[in-house]
């Protein structure tokens, strides 16, 4: 019996399918994989890659926090923010990476501590987007529906 999956953010539903073979998600305690007949589970999500295996292939997304719940082969991902790999603007993510690295490279004092944390988070988000987008683009994989 396949898994049913809903991936939603506060703004929209990214995916709703009932033929999922496997889901790999970035839980805050480490990466987890969900298969059919998985035990009931509720976990928080970290920033990372969400990989969904369907009969047609793989759907890659990036998620930026949230929660994942499993119950009776029904999986719900309630993400703070998420993007499908084919929605990632590579030029924008690259520009964000460069800005973050520039902010991280300069001298620091106490007043710049908050900016440093923001730059680190921005760098992590942009590198994640670039990794997912470039891997999928490089594989010549068409966008999934």
């Amino acid at each position: 019996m396949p898994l049913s999956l809903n991936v939603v953010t506060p703004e929209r539903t990214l995916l709703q399918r009932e033929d999922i073979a496997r889901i790999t998600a970035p839980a805050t305690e480490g990466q987890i994989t969900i298969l059919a007949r998985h035990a009931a589970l509720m976990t928080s999500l970290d920033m990372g890659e969400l990989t969904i295996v369907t009969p047609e292939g793989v759907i890659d997304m990036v998620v930026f926090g949230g929660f994942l719940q499993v119950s009776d082969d029904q999986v719900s991902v309630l993400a703070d923010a998420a993007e499908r790999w084919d929605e990632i603007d590579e030029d924008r993510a690259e520009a964000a990476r460069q800005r973050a690295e520039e902010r991280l490279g300069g001298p620091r004092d106490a007043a710049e501590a908050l900016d440093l944390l923001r730059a680190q988070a921005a760098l992590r988000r942009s590198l994640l987007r670039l990794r997912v987008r470039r891997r999928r683009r490089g594989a010549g994989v068409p966008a999934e529906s």
Side-chain angles (χ1 to χ4, degrees):
M1 176 178 195
L3 297 165
S4 175
L5 173 65
N6 289 317
V7 179
V8 298
T9 69
E11 291 82 27
R12 65 188 176 133
T13 298
L14 275 86
L15 184 69
Q16 218 170 6
R17 288 187 70 145
E18 297 185 0
D19 62 346
I20 306 300
R22 181 176 72 238
I23 302 162
T24 302
T28 53
E29 298 299 317
Q31 184 172 310
I32 61 171
T33 298
I34 309 297
L35 300 169
R37 295 179 295 201
H38 196 284
L41 170 73
M42 177 76 144
T43 187
S44 56
L45 294 174
D46 198 0
M47 182 185 314
E49 297 181 45
L50 180 68
T51 303
I52 303 148
V53 178
T54 71
E56 294 84 29
V58 176
I59 300 170
D60 284 316
M61 294 185 186
V62 292
V63 293
F64 302 98
F67 295 92
L68 179 141
Q69 178 183 18
V70 180
S71 179
D72 298 324
D73 287 334
Q74 304 288 316
V75 181
S76 298
V77 173
L78 308 170
D80 295 337
E83 297 171 283
R84 292 172 59 114
W85 79 270
D86 54 343
E87 296 173 332
I88 297 169
D89 182 331
E90 190 171 346
D91 292 335
R92 185 172 160 234
E94 181 64 31
R97 181 194 63 78
Q98 290 174 358
R99 282 191 309 274
E101 286 181 345
E102 287 170 9
R103 289 195 327 239
L104 290 171
R108 300 284 163 238
D109 61 22
E112 295 176 311
L114 182 58
D115 189 48
L116 177 64
L117 292 174
R118 288 180 180 154
Q120 289 170 334
L123 179 59
R124 189 170 171 213
R125 284 190 304 269
S126 63
L127 289 172
L128 174 61
R129 286 180 172 120
L130 289 167
R131 182 175 63 235
V132 170
R133 177 69 187 182
R134 288 174 177 165
R135 183 182 66 238
R136 293 299 298 221
R137 183 196 59 194
V141 178
E144 303 85 5
S145 56

